[in-house]
Amino acid sequence: LATQILLIPFLGSGEILVRTFSGPYAEVGYFSLAHNTYLMVVTTIPQIMLAFLPFLGQLRDAGQPRELARWSARLVRVLATTGVLGVFAAWFLGAAYVPLLFGAAYAPVAANLLPLSAAALAFALASVPSLLALVHERPSETVVAAALRLVVFWGIAPSLIARQGSRGACLAVLAGASVHALYLGWRTRRLVSGSVRDWALPAILGSLFVPLALAVGFAMIASYILSSTFVPV
């Protein structure tokens, strides 16, 4: 309950902060549209994780640590793989599909999707340690992590928003989610044996496509520069 109470202001105060510390009201719309996509992900993951709570609790009570570790590793791999795919979807498809779906006026939303997709990945990686903390009856770990996430978000959001508008708010969300995931991973490292390896493998495989993504980005920039420089007569 305390974790959910701390999650509400983290997920719900972004628009207020953007409006307070950013100039144009349009920035609120840019943040809100991207953040609503993020919300669909981060509000679904906890419901899926809670569905595994009784099963994992039974494994713990039955004294089956190996089976518990095996199922935890499966969840970590699935969530990490899905999260990496989400990051690359935002990277490759955001700039093309956001104007198509919402209009050219909302093109800046595409830049907001990348840090929020990374924040969703961090949220997904933290969900298994959070679940295991509950299975092993250590709820204080999740409460402290949620409090840290909120403090980091509120602490750096004003300055980032003042500099970068809605994108600054998205970066603040990413920072808060990353601190949350790192703290939970560290505090529950003995409960999640091999979790670093389980989520690192999909991330490493995904990083192989980074050069391709950079090449595509440079090609798009070069195409834009050439098209704006050489005007046909």
Side-chain angles (χ1 to χ4, degrees):
L1 176 61
T3 302
Q4 293 302 313
I5 291 174
L6 291 168
L7 180 62
I8 291 172
F10 175 73
L11 297 179
S13 60
E15 286 84 354
I16 298 173
L17 292 172
V18 173
R19 179 56 180 159
T20 302
F21 296 99
S22 179
Y25 189 77
E27 293 293 330
V28 179
Y30 297 153
F31 173 80
S32 181
L33 186 57
H35 194 251
N36 284 338
T37 305
Y38 168 76
L39 286 178
M40 288 190 294
V41 176
V42 301
T43 55
T44 301
I45 291 175
Q47 304 306 316
I48 298 175
M49 291 295 100
L50 286 176
F52 286 91
L53 182 59
F55 172 65
L56 297 181
Q58 289 176 356
L59 293 177
R60 173 183 177 270
D61 295 339
Q64 301 182 34
R66 289 188 178 181
E67 193 69 11
L68 177 58
R70 189 165 66 89
W71 276 95
S72 301
R74 285 179 177 177
L75 291 174
V76 170
R77 285 194 296 268
V78 170
L79 290 172
T81 302
T82 305
V84 169
L85 291 176
V87 171
F88 276 93
W91 194 341
F92 281 104
L93 305 178
Y97 280 93
V98 167
L100 182 64
L101 294 174
F102 304 107
Y106 287 95
V109 173
N112 294 343
L113 288 176
L114 186 57
L116 288 180
S117 64
L121 173 59
F123 192 96
L125 296 178
S127 60
V128 175
S130 178
L131 177 64
L132 290 178
L134 295 178
V135 169
H136 290 272
E137 299 181 356
R138 295 171 58 177
S140 60
E141 312 292 0
T142 61
V143 174
V144 174
L148 283 174
R149 176 175 57 193
L150 182 60
V151 168
V152 170
F153 176 60
W154 278 354
I156 67 174
S159 60
L160 288 176
I161 293 171
R163 296 175 187 174
Q164 303 187 42
S166 60
R167 182 171 175 80
C170 297
L171 292 173
V173 171
L174 173 58
S178 299
V179 169
H180 174 261
L182 290 173
Y183 177 82
L184 270 179
W186 174 64
R187 292 293 296 176
T188 62
R189 61 192 181 278
R190 293 184 178 88
L191 305 179
V192 198
S193 178
S195 63
V196 174
R197 180 184 65 252
D198 293 323
W199 69 256
L201 180 59
I204 292 172
L205 292 176
S207 67
L208 298 177
F209 293 92
V210 170
L212 175 61
L214 293 176
V216 171
F218 286 130
M220 293 176 63
I221 295 173
S223 176
Y224 174 77
I225 293 175
L226 291 175
S227 63
S228 59
T229 303
F230 300 102
V231 181
V233 178

